[in-house]
Amino acid sequence: MNQDTICAIATAQGGAIGCIRVSGPDAIEITSRIFTPARKGKKLKDAKPYTLTFGHIHEEENIIDEVLVSLFRAPHSYTGEDSTEIMCHGSSYILQKVLQLLIGNGCRLAAPGEYTQRAFLGGKMDLSQAEAVADLIASTSAATHRLAMSQMRGGFSKELASLRDQLLHFTSLIELELDFSDHEELEFADRSELCLLADGIEQVISRLVQSFSVGNAIKNGVPVAIIGETNAGKSTLLNALLNEERAIVSDIHGTTRDVIEDTVNLGGITFRFIDTAGIRETNDTIENLGIERTFQKLEQAEIVLWIVDATNAVSRIPQLTTQILPRCEGKRLILVFNKTDLVQDASTIPNSSFTVAATNVQCISISAKGRTNLDKLQQMLISAANLPTVTQNDVIVTNIRHYEALTHALEAIHRVQQGLAENLSGDFVSQDIRECIFHLSDIAGEVTNDMVLGNIFEHFCIGK
């Protein structure tokens, strides 16, 4: 454990109140050097833990600010170390001055995520819980908040611990047999029971791996590609959905030449809308590059909004069908007939029963410019996302590092199942079990090296 005492501003600038966190073996002593309690004769080091002390931060005889100092004693603090938190006024001058005084008295400025890293190294939380802290800070919807809270409270960790315990029991029985290999009649591990245990573990790991698609959509947003011909109203629709002028709108064909992305929360679900270059035949090299990116984003999207100019819908759809439909296999496709405000005869707009040689197509008529039927389109998007209602008790994988480790663990348990089915020697089966345990332990940080830890915590904000 690092013996430095660290400090950092823990609140965003511009607020009425600012908080500076101090943590380490000398946190209380260093804070005492620059803080005088208002109550005469009282010393900060004599204060009870989990209390607030009112007083002044001073530089020699000059008072810098009136503050409240909270005190936490090891191991009962966020980091597991002695800690103080100085609540002062939010002036950037005051905050920087207090930091300067702390550093001058023996602190050093904390690195990004160092408080949470110390909590992990001190055994206050495992690595998956530490990563959930960053997810909680970055949460932008009720669903992402609930998932981060579940993981931070240890829901995921308990699931992993249960799997590891079962696997350790599993391998201990097999290795006990190996210790008595000269007694062939001895069998500590009933192979039929081991097969049932391996099957149960495989089901749990498979469920966690499969949950990543949902978790990734909840955390990063459901990707929605807005595609169609030039001048069909794609950028106008994006602006209407985001309720801001995010994309340039023009009557000139080919205005959008690159991909524009932005997110919006609809019904508690984050959608990542991707406005793409209009599809058409062109000799413009830059526009062709944009159209190529359109098809790349189409492949990556889970939901596709195919925008069609309603004033010329029936004649235009067949020309793009062969380009779009093959790329929409397995995706939710919504055919959006736009510019209905310019249509003289509404009967010329295809109705909801219209299909384009595909069974997964929904249709809707809107006016993006006039914002007609946008509420209905939003409900169709929420329905198409088909995300489950998430509670704080749900265990859903949202982290790509966890997903990769679980994928490797699943491969290992599949080899265990195969080895048991083929009645392989116990030492081969045991090796695969240990590999599965290794990958599960990697998620919790039990076998993670310093390079991985550095990569994880450097993306935290300073002060956390």
Side-chain angles (χ1 to χ4, degrees):
M1 177 71 76
N2 197 318
Q3 292 302 302
D4 291 348
T5 298
I6 57 175
C7 62
I9 300 172
T11 48
Q13 291 188 1
I17 302 297
C19 176
I20 294 175
R21 309 180 77 181
V22 187
S23 183
D26 299 322
I28 298 172
E29 171 62 27
I30 291 174
T31 305
S32 297
R33 294 173 191 167
I34 67 169
F35 172 73
T36 302
R39 183 178 174 185
K40 291 184 178 180
K42 187 174 183 179
K43 295 182 179 180
L44 183 64
K45 65 180 182 180
D46 298 327
K48 294 180 180 180
Y50 321 119
T51 58
L52 288 171
T53 303
F54 173 70
H56 302 96
I57 295 291
H58 57 82
E59 182 180 26
E60 297 179 351
E61 300 300 320
N62 298 320
I63 294 176
I64 304 300
D65 196 13
E66 292 184 340
V67 303
L68 287 170
V69 176
S70 55
L71 185 146
F72 307 89
R73 297 189 186 276
H76 305 295
S77 70
Y78 180 75
T79 59
E81 305 170 320
D82 283 349
S83 301
T84 63
E85 292 183 355
I86 303 170
M87 272 69 73
C88 56
H89 290 95
S91 158
S92 60
Y93 169 77
I94 292 174
L95 289 166
Q96 293 299 326
K97 190 65 179 178
V98 175
L99 270 186
Q100 181 183 343
L101 291 171
L102 288 168
I103 292 170
N105 280 276
C107 280
R108 70 165 171 82
L109 195 63
E114 189 168 359
Y115 293 94
T116 304
Q117 185 173 9
R118 289 187 175 206
F120 162 67
L121 294 173
K124 301 293 289 185
M125 60 181 71
D126 68 22
L127 192 56
S128 68
Q129 290 173 294
E131 289 170 302
V133 173
D135 290 341
L136 186 65
I137 294 170
S139 61
T140 56
S141 67
T144 53
H145 170 263
R146 283 192 290 266
L147 284 179
M149 282 300 299
S150 172
Q151 188 172 322
M152 197 171 75
R153 291 169 61 194
F156 188 32
S157 301
K158 291 174 184 175
E159 188 103 50
L160 294 176
S162 175
L163 289 173
R164 289 199 306 273
D165 289 345
Q166 293 178 66
L167 287 164
L168 286 170
H169 176 67
F170 195 154
T171 192
S172 64
L173 291 176
I174 292 179
E175 292 183 4
L176 190 59
E177 284 184 3
L178 296 174
D179 290 338
F180 292 90
S181 58
D182 52 333
H183 298 278
E184 294 183 2
E185 70 280 2
L186 289 177
E187 185 180 85
F188 295 99
D190 184 302
R191 287 299 189 268
S192 61
E193 289 185 9
L194 292 182
C195 287
L196 290 174
L197 181 58
D199 291 344
I201 293 172
E202 189 272 342
Q203 289 176 10
V204 175
I205 298 177
S206 291
R207 173 175 56 79
L208 292 173
V209 169
Q210 292 166 8
S211 73
F212 179 70
S213 60
V214 172
N216 188 50
I218 292 173
K219 181 178 178 179
N220 298 313
V222 180
V224 181
I226 305 175
I227 65 167
E229 288 188 296
T230 57
N231 230 24
K234 299 183 298 300
S235 296
T236 303
L237 176 60
L238 176 68
N239 291 340
L241 290 168
L242 299 177
N243 202 28
E244 64 173 291
E245 296 301 312
R246 180 69 174 80
I248 297 173
V249 176
S250 169
D251 291 334
I252 302 172
H253 288 266
T255 302
T256 303
R257 296 189 171 202
D258 204 349
V259 172
I260 299 174
E261 296 190 28
D262 213 333
T263 59
V264 69
N265 189 294
L266 301 176
I269 300 172
T270 300
F271 289 89
R272 190 170 76 253
F273 289 105
I274 309 162
D275 182 22
T276 61
I279 303 169
R280 68 167 179 167
E281 294 293 332
T282 178
N283 294 321
D284 188 306
T285 303
I286 301 300
E287 190 176 349
N288 274 322
L289 287 173
I291 294 170
E292 184 178 331
R293 291 187 181 182
T294 293
F295 290 120
Q296 291 174 355
K297 292 297 180 180
L298 178 55
E299 299 282 357
Q300 299 169 11
E302 292 186 20
I303 301 174
V304 178
L305 295 182
W306 179 0
I307 314 301
V308 178
D309 187 340
T311 61
N312 195 18
V314 177
S315 63
R316 302 308 301 167
I317 289 177
Q319 296 187 26
L320 291 182
T321 297
T322 55
Q323 290 179 282
I324 293 176
L325 281 187
R327 293 179 169 88
C328 293
E329 188 174 348
K331 307 179 188 299
R332 275 83 73 189
L333 175 60
I334 300 176
L335 190 57
V336 181
F337 297 106
N338 188 29
K339 302 186 181 181
T340 55
D341 53 317
L342 302 179
V343 177
Q344 300 296 325
D345 183 2
S347 64
T348 62
I349 303 175
N351 58 34
S352 59
S353 63
F354 180 84
T355 60
V356 283
T359 58
N360 64 335
V361 181
Q362 291 180 286
C363 300
I364 184 173
S365 298
I366 70 165
S367 169
K369 187 175 181 179
R371 298 178 178 264
T372 305
N373 265 354
L374 280 189
D375 290 344
K376 185 177 178 181
L377 176 59
Q378 291 174 358
Q379 289 303 314
M380 290 176 73
L381 286 166
I382 294 169
S383 177
N386 195 32
L387 293 182
T389 301
V390 177
T391 70
Q392 288 188 10
N393 295 321
D394 291 329
V395 179
I396 296 176
V397 178
T398 62
N399 187 303
I400 186 65
R401 188 181 70 84
H402 302 169
Y403 172 73
E404 289 178 351
L406 285 166
T407 301
H408 292 313
L410 186 60
E411 292 170 354
I413 201 66
H414 282 160
R415 291 195 297 273
V416 171
Q417 290 175 302
Q418 183 178 355
L420 290 171
E422 296 176 357
N423 202 26
L424 290 182
S425 171
D427 51 352
F428 290 111
V429 176
S430 179
Q431 177 60 35
D432 288 327
I433 296 172
R434 288 192 171 278
E435 185 175 337
C436 188
I437 294 172
F438 173 86
H439 292 300
L440 294 177
S441 299
D442 187 36
I443 296 172
E446 296 175 6
V447 295
T448 305
N449 61 39
D450 291 340
M451 185 180 296
V452 173
L453 291 181
N455 184 58
I456 289 171
F457 288 107
E458 71 181 9
H459 297 296
F460 275 62
C461 52
I462 293 176
K464 193 62 181 180

